[in-house]
Amino acid sequence: QVQLVEFGGGSVQAGGSLRLSCAASGYTDSRYCMGWFRQAPGKEREGVAAIDSDGTTSYIDSVEGRFTISRDNAKNSLDLQMNSLKPEDTAMYYCAADFTFVSRLRCRYIPLDLGYWGQGTQVTVSS
């Protein structure tokens, strides 16, 4: 059973930084699409960043240049370094993963229908 557990959320002032981590376990396939997603109150969930097993990364425009997604295969962790945070980054952040061929093909589009999800970690940015 694949399990994803997020760590590292918290409260920070605008301009600050946070690093989110996602511990992944229960899978053996080295080919994947993994990503970070967020959902603010009253808004739909959106993809933030994704990385595939080839190391290709994708970001939404609003975080490009401020956020960095990375994968530590040895530690089975997925990280999101968030710099220059803005109040509009406030949301519940989720990591997600999938291991199918189709998900890897679509990974560059940060797909919302990945098969495995963590429980989320809250990020709050105050002005």
Side-chain angles (χ1 to χ4, degrees):
Q1 180 72 18
V2 176
Q3 290 189 325
L4 303 171
V5 181
E6 300 95 338
F7 302 94
S11 297
V12 65
Q13 289 192 327
S17 298
L18 282 174
R19 187 176 184 88
L20 304 183
S21 293
C22 175
S25 62
Y27 67 96
T28 57
D29 200 329
S30 60
R31 300 163 297 175
Y32 55 79
C33 172
M34 292 187 174
W36 286 96
F37 301 78
R38 67 187 180 187
Q39 187 166 18
K43 295 188 177 181
E44 294 185 353
R45 186 171 296 187
E46 66 174 350
V48 175
I51 185 168
D52 67 19
S53 42
D54 292 330
T56 301
T57 58
S58 300
Y59 300 90
I60 55 171
D61 289 346
S62 61
V63 307
E64 183 82 55
R66 299 189 296 122
F67 290 10
T68 302
I69 189 170
S70 60
R71 168 87 176 129
D72 187 329
N73 290 324
K75 295 181 179 179
N76 278 345
S77 71
L78 177 72
D79 297 333
L80 185 69
Q81 178 65 43
M82 305 185 294
N83 299 327
S84 302
L85 282 160
K86 303 176 180 180
E88 51 263 43
D89 295 318
T90 295
M92 184 72 78
Y93 282 71
Y94 301 87
C95 72
D98 212 322
F99 307 93
T100 65
F101 176 70
V102 172
S103 69
R104 296 197 304 274
L105 275 182
R106 297 171 57 238
C107 200
R108 71 186 70 183
Y109 305 113
I110 319 178
L112 287 166
D113 58 352
L114 299 183
Y116 302 97
W117 291 79
Q119 82 289 351
T121 186
Q122 178 67 38
V123 171
T124 302
V125 184
S126 58
S127 58

